[in-house]
Amino acid sequence: MAGVSVATVSRVINNRKNVSEKTRNKVEQAIRELHFEPNVLARNLRNSESRLLLVLIPSISNPFYTEIINGIEDTAIEQGYNILLCETDSNPEREAIYFNLIRNRLADGIIIMDPTINRENLIELARMHPVVQCSEFDEAGNISYVTIDNELAAYQAVKHLIKLGQRKIALINSDERFLYARERRRGYEKALMEAGLPIETSWIYHTGKLGFEYGQQAMRSLLNVKNLPTAIFAVSDILAIGAMKEILSRGLRIPDDIAIIGFDKISFSNMTFPTLTTVAQPMYAMGSISAKMIINKIKGKKVESIILDHELIIRNST
Amino acid sequence: MAGVSVATVSRVINNRKNVSEKTRNKVEQAIRELHFEPNVLARNLRNSESRLLLVLIPSISNPFYTEIINGIEDTAIEQGYNILLCETDSNPEREAIYFNLIRNRLADGIIIMDPTINRENLIELARMHPVVQCSEFDEAGNISYVTIDNELAAYQAVKHLIKLGQRKIALINSDERFLYARERRRGYEKALMEAGLPIETSWIYHTGKLGFEYGQQAMRSLLNVKNLPTAIFAVSDILAIGAMKEILSRGLRIPDDIAIIGFDKISFSNMTFPTLTTVAQPMYAMGSISAKMIINKIKGKKVESIILDHELIIRNST
DNA sequence: CCATTCAATGTAAACGATTACATCAATCGT
DNA sequence: ACGATTGATGTAATCGTTTACATTGAATGG
């Protein structure tokens, strides 16, 4: 339509120099009239890049992850990448599907928040493709990650309870297949031992999944123990909030009868009554940094793992 | 490596007949040894299908949408499609990026939950590509949708308050660029009028966005009105929960001093104190049906719009 | 006036798959 | 025994871009 070759059109589209003003105008005019849109598949096929980032999360329902995703998305878009958000539900089959998208070059790189599944597969994937781990990680494959010091954070959280005079502190933990669960438990135990408090196994409860109902159930179970705890450290705000619900429905007061502290600082944690003391994770930054890391990796640069700061947010539940 | 032509390899990969057992084995062996993975870009370029579904949501932080997504994802995967989840933030620029993915054939179809932006663009897109609207919709382009009867649901919610003897009922609405906001307001007004109650504009508050803090702010504003309302209908649980927080922090009791009803039945709504009366939307079904509709559309079948049932969930806040 | 240079543009190969059509050898029916 | 049929395989075009290289023509300098 503009009376030029495809090469010239390509030059115009990609803003190359060496195109005369006149032809450039003609081509741009034609593009407008035809509503022409370059086919991304063909472009990617030629360039062998897709400018797509895969993001694997265990569950989209957890506000902790959605905040991370906000960080990833903003940074990715800024750098000309779009994200492909995939929920694995910790299901190996789903994970396999998404790993194949990477092998197929449908996406240039992958950010993973759930490496509990299929360790070997992950390591093998990372050998050939750009991979970054966010929050959860596995040292094994030498895959870079961004996370916080979970053990220290848990230690400080429990220490805060101890400083308030608490001596009977229970732990509501999630599945210890997750690294954070193992680390936070270690922090919990360290704080207790340091204060000369015994570690009561009847005060440690493991939930299978994350969800308010699991927190409720955990609390229900802990309230049936002979020697009642007077404080709770839950490894997730979600669990803590469920537990609070159960405590209140038994007619007990927070923090007077039972104090409770959560983890993550999801926005809902400030809406409960009383408001929940918690450990803030820099979720947005974690996402944003993950995105920068994966893009650098895609570009062939070397990237270093990083451990970000957390912060204890003291509110009314302790 | 297998000593055959690319055509034969393609036949093996796609499980075509007309390949002898012997060659098939040779090729499969080679595929295994080389860790060969077909390049999806090239395949899509040729077939012009990607088996990818675009899902556009205004915000990933709203549990209402994440539940819909669960429905979409389960159904899509079952049918061999993957989803590309995109947050628009009601930002036209982002939307344009994602619309282009469709035009470029990077995805086969699109499910939209935020048609407030760029109406003409949407209608034009739908002329050429499979589009389904979920929850929000615009009749204009004759684009199929799945949603609920928002006006009726709001009407019933307010009627519930009236039956409880409430006569001073405020409305916390969100941005009326959203269809659901306009419809729920209509239901609110209809219920009031039917009961012979006046519509007080000072009792109607519009928030710019969704988020707990906006609900708080709305309530703060409503508590400054001379003629205090004694009941609140909020068009979203998120707003209702923020409002509850504000009510309680003023030392008022729910529902004794102020009753409140929300909308959506997000999981949080059962964790508040007191628990929140709300209107349940069949979010999972909405997602699941949207996915089925878009896949049928992609396959060239005709699809009908559908209006699903809602349900009033009476809990302790009223 | 001619050789040289340079900017603008065109030509055609490449990316990696799919597939219509061509080819070939083996088998079959009469 | 020979053409027809069939199944297995190969050849080459195709999808829509990008880009190395070739070509063109005008401007420049001696």
Side-chain angles (χ1 to χ4, degrees), chain A residues 38 40 73-74 84 87 94, chain B residues 73-74 84 87 94 104 268:
Chain A
V40 175
E73 190 155 42
D74 286 348
L84 187 58
E87 191 181 20
R94 279 205 185 177
Chain B
E73 192 156 42
D74 286 349
L84 187 57
E87 191 180 19
R94 281 205 186 177
N104 289 333
F268 289 156

Side-chain angles (χ1 to χ4, degrees), chain A residues 9-193:
Chain A
V9 174
S10 177
R11 288 188 193 103
V12 171
I13 289 173
N14 294 290
N15 260 314
R16 293 278 135 71
K17 51 205 156 212
N18 291 341
V19 182
S20 72
E21 201 56 35
K22 214 170 70 190
T23 16
R24 184 178 296 273
N25 286 336
K26 265 193 306 187
V27 172
E28 281 170 350
Q29 176 62 27
I31 287 178
R32 246 171 284 126
E33 284 184 36
L34 295 169
H35 288 106
F36 175 83
E37 300 273 357
N39 178 313
V40 175
L41 291 173
R43 174 179 291 168
N44 294 348
L45 175 60
R46 175 63 209 228
N47 294 344
S48 69
E49 69 161 12
S50 65
R51 299 227 132 219
L52 235 42
L53 259 30
L54 224 63
V55 177
L56 249 58
I57 48 172
S59 157
I60 198 178
S61 317
N62 189 334
F64 170 66
Y65 294 116
T66 58
E67 188 58 26
I68 292 180
I69 290 162
N70 283 331
I72 295 176
E73 190 155 42
D74 286 348
T75 303
I77 286 188
E78 195 180 278
Q79 309 249 349
Y81 283 80
N82 282 295
I83 74 171
L84 187 58
L85 194 54
C86 306
E87 191 181 20
T88 59
D89 232 344
S90 295
N91 176 344
E93 272 179 54
R94 279 205 185 177
E95 196 200 46
I97 293 174
Y98 296 128
F99 276 17
N100 272 341
L101 293 183
I102 289 286
R103 296 208 184 88
N104 288 336
R105 309 286 185 80
L106 227 183
D108 297 341
I110 184 167
I111 297 175
I112 299 187
M113 308 197 209
D114 186 6
T116 54
I117 32 177
N118 243 327
R119 215 175 157 198
E120 289 75 29
N121 245 335
L122 173 64
I123 294 168
E124 208 239 295
L125 185 77
R127 249 210 312 278
M128 306 289 293
H129 303 275
V131 177
V132 163
Q133 299 174 102
C134 180
S135 178
E136 283 286 293
F137 68 102
D138 194 320
E139 292 272 17
N142 201 24
I143 310 168
S144 25
Y145 54 85
V146 40
T147 187
I148 63 162
D149 187 336
N150 281 293
E151 184 177 331
L152 179 63
Y155 168 80
Q156 291 171 345
V158 176
K159 191 122 187 207
H160 162 67
L161 291 172
I162 293 171
K163 263 194 226 139
L164 291 173
Q166 298 289 351
R167 318 208 80 234
K168 297 156 79 173
I169 304 172
L171 171 68
I172 299 181
N173 204 352
S174 67
D175 196 327
E176 288 207 7
R177 278 183 317 170
F178 287 97
L179 175 68
Y180 79 84
R182 299 193 298 274
E183 290 189 331
R184 291 179 197 170
R185 183 207 178 117
R186 229 178 287 140
Y188 162 81
E189 292 176 346
K190 193 175 157 204
L192 292 189
M193 292 194 310

Side-chain angles (χ1 to χ4, degrees), chain B residues 205-219:
Chain B
Y205 187 96
H206 290 91
T207 67
K209 290 182 157 192
L210 287 183
F212 299 124
E213 59 277 27
Y214 298 96
Q216 278 179 284
Q217 202 188 313
M219 198 63 225

Side-chain angles (χ1 to χ4, degrees), chain B residues 155-172:
Chain B
Y155 168 79
Q156 292 170 344
V158 175
K159 191 122 187 209
H160 163 66
L161 291 172
I162 293 171
K163 263 194 226 141
L164 292 172
Q166 297 291 350
R167 317 209 80 235
K168 296 157 79 174
I169 304 171
L171 171 68
I172 299 182

Side-chain angles (χ1 to χ4, degrees), chain A residues 223-270:
Chain A
L223 287 174
N224 283 336
V225 172
K226 266 155 286 185
N227 189 9
L228 268 191
T230 58
I232 310 284
F233 169 47
V235 297
S236 154
D237 284 349
I238 304 258
L239 296 176
I241 290 166
M244 282 174 75
K245 172 82 183 161
E246 185 63 22
I247 294 170
L248 292 177
S249 75
R250 297 280 185 115
L252 297 170
R253 288 160 308 156
I254 301 173
D256 308 68
D257 297 319
I258 299 188
I260 182 161
I261 182 166
F263 208 109
D264 288 345
K265 200 191 174 197
I266 63 176
S267 65
F268 191 54
S269 68
N270 201 27

Side-chain angles (χ1 to χ4, degrees), chain B residues 39-299:
Chain B
N39 178 313
V40 175
L41 292 172
R43 173 180 293 169
N44 294 348
L45 176 60
R46 176 63 210 232
N47 292 345
S48 67
E49 74 160 7
S50 63
R51 299 227 132 218
L52 235 42
L53 258 31
L54 225 62
V55 177
L56 249 58
I57 47 172
S59 158
I60 197 179
S61 317
N62 188 336
F64 170 66
Y65 294 116
T66 58
E67 188 58 25
I68 292 180
I69 290 162
N70 283 331
I72 295 176
E73 192 156 42
D74 286 349
T75 303
I77 286 187
E78 195 180 278
Q79 310 247 350
Y81 284 79
N82 282 294
I83 74 171
L84 187 57
L85 193 55
C86 305
E87 191 180 19
T88 60
D89 232 344
S90 294
N91 175 344
E93 273 179 52
R94 281 205 186 177
E95 195 200 48
I97 293 174
Y98 297 128
F99 275 18
N100 273 342
L101 294 184
I102 290 286
R103 294 207 184 90
N104 289 333
R105 310 287 183 80
L106 227 181
D108 296 342
I110 184 168
I111 297 174
I112 298 186
M113 308 197 208
D114 186 6
T116 55
I117 32 177
N118 243 328
R119 214 176 157 197
E120 288 76 28
N121 246 335
L122 173 65
I123 293 168
E124 209 238 294
L125 185 77
R127 250 210 310 278
M128 306 289 293
H129 302 274
V131 177
V132 162
Q133 300 174 102
C134 181
S135 178
E136 282 287 293
F137 68 100
D138 194 319
E139 293 271 20
N142 201 25
I143 310 168
S144 25
Y145 54 84
V146 40
T147 186
I148 62 161
D149 187 336
N150 281 294
E151 183 177 331
L152 179 64
Y155 168 79
Q156 292 170 344
V158 175
K159 191 122 187 209
H160 163 66
L161 291 172
I162 293 171
K163 263 194 226 141
L164 292 172
Q166 297 291 350
R167 317 209 80 235
K168 296 157 79 174
I169 304 171
L171 171 68
I172 299 182
N173 205 351
S174 67
D175 195 326
E176 289 208 8
R177 276 182 319 171
F178 287 98
L179 175 69
Y180 78 83
R182 298 195 297 276
E183 290 189 332
R184 290 178 198 171
R185 182 207 177 115
R186 227 176 291 141
Y188 162 81
E189 291 176 346
K190 191 174 159 206
L192 290 189
M193 292 196 307
E194 212 180 276
L197 298 171
I199 292 162
E200 286 270 0
T201 54
S202 64
W203 286 345
I204 298 181
Y205 187 96
H206 290 91
T207 67
K209 290 182 157 192
L210 287 183
F212 299 124
E213 59 277 27
Y214 298 96
Q216 278 179 284
Q217 202 188 313
M219 198 63 225
R220 213 171 295 139
S221 163
L222 287 172
L223 287 173
N224 284 337
V225 173
K226 266 155 291 192
N227 190 9
L228 269 190
T230 57
I232 310 284
F233 169 46
V235 297
S236 153
D237 284 349
I238 304 258
L239 296 175
I241 290 169
M244 281 174 76
K245 171 81 183 162
E246 185 63 23
I247 295 169
L248 293 176
S249 75
R250 297 281 186 114
L252 298 170
R253 288 161 308 158
I254 301 172
D256 309 68
D257 297 319
I258 299 187
I260 183 161
I261 183 166
F263 209 108
D264 287 347
K265 200 192 174 197
I266 64 176
S267 63
F268 289 156
S269 66
N270 202 26
M271 289 298 126
T272 52
F273 185 79
T275 52
L276 182 66
T277 294
T278 188
V279 178
Q281 294 202 55
M283 302 177 272
Y284 188 91
M286 286 166 77
S288 167
I289 292 173
S290 304
K292 277 181 203 138
M293 279 170 70
I294 196 72
I295 291 170
N296 279 337
K297 247 190 192 172
I298 290 167
K299 291 184 178 159

